[in-house]
Amino acid sequence: MTVIIKTICWVLLFATCTSFADDKPAPRKSEPIAEKKKHDLKERELEDKIKHRAEQAAAAKADKEAQACQKAVEKIDESNRKIAEACRKGGLSGSSDCVTKAKQCAEQAGTSSYDALSSFAVMMGVPATALAGKEGPCPQMNGRDYFSEKDKITEEIKDLQEELNELNKERIADQDEFSQMMTDTEKELSEARETLNENKLQLERDSREQLVSFQNEQNQVKEIIRRKGDEVLELQGQLTQSHRDRARTLIMLSESAAKRKCIAELAKLQQEFVQLYPGANTTPATYIGKAKEKRQQLVAFYHSCMSDFDQQRIAVNEAARQRQDVLEKKIQNLRVVIDEAENTLNLSGTHMQEIEKASSERKNNAQQKVVDQTTQAQKKLQLAYSKLQETLKGHATKAASLNASLNRANQALLSLGPAPKSKSSEYTPSEAAGDIEAELNSIYRIKRSVVGSCAKQVRLIADEALESLEGSQ
């Protein structure tokens, strides 16, 4: 580029010098030599001035044209840079046909909307050309706005999906909790029924054992009553025999029997006295005296004999009474034992009835406890089920709202259009096309408006720039 500018400047300088040389006045031959020399000197000075001015004018013109060419070239370079900057901002800097692509996108923006199918392909990670054609759709947003909005929407979708997942986990947890509650409740009821059956069996075993014990106690008491009754009968027999023995003994010791025995003893003793006193030497007086004495002895013996019988009767009565008192006391004691045994028998019967009643009440209470527990469990499950239904209804409402938000977010993501190639792009390709078109028009204007000796070179530079930007038209 510097060589071209220098060439243009030399060309302009040569043309200016030639023009000034053609305009030099011719010398006058009729003047004197001095005048001629003076004239020649002035002429030379003039020529030098003209030449100097010509050179200055040529240099100025060349410089002006060089500056104009330089400015034109700089404008072309500036347009190239602006076009490159527009391509960069439009996300097309990596494309070899940036200008063409920008124009196409500008035409698409003016004639039709974006390709939603291709946008969906981009969102799903599939190349846009896979569904939208070889070239792919044009982005509708710049890279910064697009990816910022996409990140925002993607984060919103992620949050909504996480919230849906958490909501689903809560729903599953609530259902699992209710299922676990049902399982636990059924287990509790099953254990309660098993406990009830075990309690019933235990109560029945206790009842049987108590019945057996009661029957054994009753049999023992009955055996005691029987034995004590036998003892009473035996003692009554002994008492009766005691009365009989006393009666027999008293009969043997009756007054008449006593008199007979005493008189018999007295007669025997009298016979002994008769045998002792009769004799030759016994005088009547002596006999009478001795008889009187013997008579007194016999009377005393009789009275003594009768008194002995009285004492024997008293002793028999006393002994009989004492024996009878002992027997009656034993009989009385036995009757007390029998009465107590009979009372115990009666009380044990009442106690057995109370035991059976208590056992029946325990059975009924245990049965009622299971019934109440079952009723409470059913109420608890019904309440939990109603609560679960309300919770699931709330989950469903919230899930519907989240799904609607998720659908809106997905739709918003689709509505972003195709993704720009560059995340840092500030323009859409169609927006960049306006700047590109303006700079292309600027190059065209330079190409048309450039004049002077360097116009050809400037046009050549412009053509090269346009060809590199637009390709073969």
Side-chain angles (χ1 to χ4, degrees):
M1 182 64 67
T2 304
V3 174
I4 295 172
I5 294 173
K6 288 181 177 180
T7 302
I8 293 172
C9 290
W10 281 111
V11 170
L12 292 174
L13 182 59
F14 177 77
T16 305
C17 294
T18 305
S19 176
F20 274 96
D22 293 337
D23 295 335
K24 183 179 66 173
R28 291 177 289 180
K29 296 180 178 180
S30 61
E31 293 179 352
I33 297 175
E35 289 291 330
K36 183 177 181 183
K37 289 180 179 179
K38 186 178 180 180
H39 181 268
D40 291 338
L41 180 61
K42 290 182 179 180
E43 190 174 72
R44 282 194 298 268
E45 289 176 358
L46 180 60
E47 288 178 356
D48 289 339
K49 288 181 181 180
I50 293 172
K51 182 178 180 181
H52 179 66
R53 289 180 181 177
E55 289 176 354
Q56 288 181 342
K61 183 178 180 181
D63 184 61
K64 184 177 180 180
E65 290 182 354
Q67 288 180 359
C69 291
Q70 179 65 26
K71 188 176 181 180
V73 173
E74 287 176 355
K75 286 184 177 180
I76 293 173
D77 291 340
E78 180 66 20
S79 294
N80 276 326
R81 285 193 298 273
K82 288 183 177 180
I83 290 173
E85 180 66 14
C87 288
R88 183 189 66 78
K89 290 183 177 181
L92 301 172
S93 59
S95 176
S96 60
D97 54 350
C98 166
V99 175
T100 304
K101 184 66 177 178
K103 289 182 177 181
Q104 291 176 352
C105 290
E107 291 175 359
Q108 289 182 10
T111 57
S112 61
S113 61
Y114 75 95
D115 190 345
L117 184 61
S118 298
S119 298
F120 180 75
V122 172
M123 184 189 71
M124 297 301 293
V126 179
T129 55
L131 298 177
K134 181 176 180 180
E135 295 299 328
C138 291
Q140 304 299 308
M141 299 177 65
N142 63 62
R144 292 180 182 178
D145 293 343
Y146 177 90
F147 288 101
S148 175
E149 188 68 18
K150 180 182 178 182
D151 291 342
K152 179 181 177 182
I153 296 174
T154 302
E155 186 66 24
E156 181 182 0
I157 291 174
K158 181 180 177 182
D159 293 340
L160 289 171
Q161 288 175 340
E162 289 179 355
E163 197 168 352
L164 280 171
N165 291 334
E166 289 298 324
L167 187 64
N168 189 50
K169 289 180 181 178
E170 291 179 7
R171 178 184 61 80
I172 294 174
D174 291 336
Q175 290 176 335
D176 291 343
E177 182 180 359
F178 179 74
S179 299
Q180 186 63 40
M181 181 184 292
M182 290 184 63
T183 302
D184 294 341
T185 303
E186 183 61 31
K187 183 179 180 181
E188 290 176 1
L189 292 178
S190 178
E191 291 176 352
R193 287 191 289 268
E194 290 179 0
T195 302
L196 175 63
N197 293 332
E198 292 176 357
N199 290 336
K200 284 183 177 180
L201 293 175
Q202 185 62 40
L203 289 173
E204 290 175 358
R205 285 195 295 268
D206 293 343
S207 297
R208 286 195 297 269
E209 292 176 358
Q210 290 172 351
L211 180 60
V212 172
S213 176
F214 170 75
Q215 291 175 346
N216 291 335
E217 290 177 358
Q218 280 192 328
N219 292 334
Q220 291 175 0
V221 173
K222 288 178 181 178
E223 180 62 22
I224 291 172
I225 293 174
R226 186 186 64 76
R227 286 200 310 268
K228 298 304 180 182
D230 292 342
E231 291 178 7
V232 168
L233 291 176
E234 183 179 355
L235 291 174
Q236 285 177 343
Q238 291 178 7
L239 182 61
T240 301
Q241 187 62 38
S242 175
H243 285 296
R244 289 175 182 174
D245 292 343
R246 174 177 172 275
R248 283 194 300 269
T249 303
L250 289 175
I251 290 173
M252 292 176 62
L253 296 175
S254 65
E255 185 175 358
S256 59
K259 288 180 177 180
R260 284 193 300 273
K261 187 174 181 179
C262 288
I263 290 173
E265 292 290 334
L266 183 61
K268 184 178 178 182
L269 183 61
Q270 185 178 7
Q271 186 64 33
E272 290 178 355
F273 285 159
V274 172
Q275 291 177 359
L276 290 173
Y277 293 107
N281 298 322
T282 305
T283 63
T286 304
Y287 179 77
I288 291 172
K290 290 183 176 180
K292 185 177 178 179
E293 182 180 357
K294 289 298 182 183
R295 183 176 178 277
Q296 291 177 348
Q297 292 178 348
L298 290 172
V299 170
F301 174 77
Y302 177 76
H303 286 297
S304 176
C305 180
M306 291 298 291
S307 178
D308 289 338
F309 271 98
D310 288 338
Q311 292 298 323
Q312 289 181 7
R313 282 195 295 272
I314 291 172
V316 168
N317 285 328
E318 184 66 24
R321 186 169 56 254
Q322 290 179 355
R323 179 173 176 75
Q324 288 170 5
D325 289 341
V326 171
L327 291 174
E328 287 177 353
K329 185 65 174 178
K330 289 183 178 180
I331 290 172
Q332 183 180 359
N333 293 335
L334 287 173
R335 289 192 182 279
V336 171
V337 172
I338 291 172
D339 290 340
E340 290 178 351
E342 288 178 347
N343 289 333
T344 301
L345 194 64
N346 293 331
L347 290 174
S348 62
T350 303
H351 182 61
M352 187 62 192
Q353 292 176 354
E354 292 176 353
I355 290 175
E356 290 178 349
K357 182 179 179 181
S359 177
S360 177
E361 288 178 354
R362 286 197 296 271
K363 288 181 180 179
N364 293 334
N365 291 337
Q367 181 70 35
Q368 188 62 39
K369 181 179 179 181
V370 174
V371 172
D372 294 341
Q373 188 173 358
T374 302
T375 302
Q376 292 176 357
Q378 290 175 346
K379 291 181 179 179
K380 182 179 178 181
L381 287 176
Q382 184 63 36
L383 181 62
Y385 181 74
S386 300
K387 183 178 179 181
L388 176 63
Q389 292 301 314
E390 289 295 327
T391 303
L392 292 179
K393 184 178 179 181
H395 286 338
T397 302
K398 188 174 181 180
S401 176
L402 290 174
N403 281 319
S405 298
L406 184 61
N407 290 334
R408 287 193 296 270
N410 285 325
Q411 186 62 36
L413 186 61
L414 284 174
S415 66
L416 294 179
K421 293 182 179 181
S422 174
K423 290 185 177 181
S424 60
S425 63
E426 301 175 13
Y427 300 154
T428 63
S430 59
E431 290 173 341
D435 292 346
I436 292 172
E437 186 66 25
E439 296 306 322
L440 288 175
N441 291 334
S442 177
I443 295 174
Y444 276 115
R445 284 195 300 272
I446 292 170
K447 179 181 176 181
R448 288 193 300 269
S449 63
V450 65
V451 292
S453 58
C454 63
K456 184 176 181 181
Q457 286 79 1
V458 172
R459 291 190 186 96
L460 179 62
I461 293 171
D463 289 338
E464 290 177 355
L466 293 171
E467 185 176 1
S468 65
L469 292 171
E470 295 181 321
S472 57
Q473 299 296 319

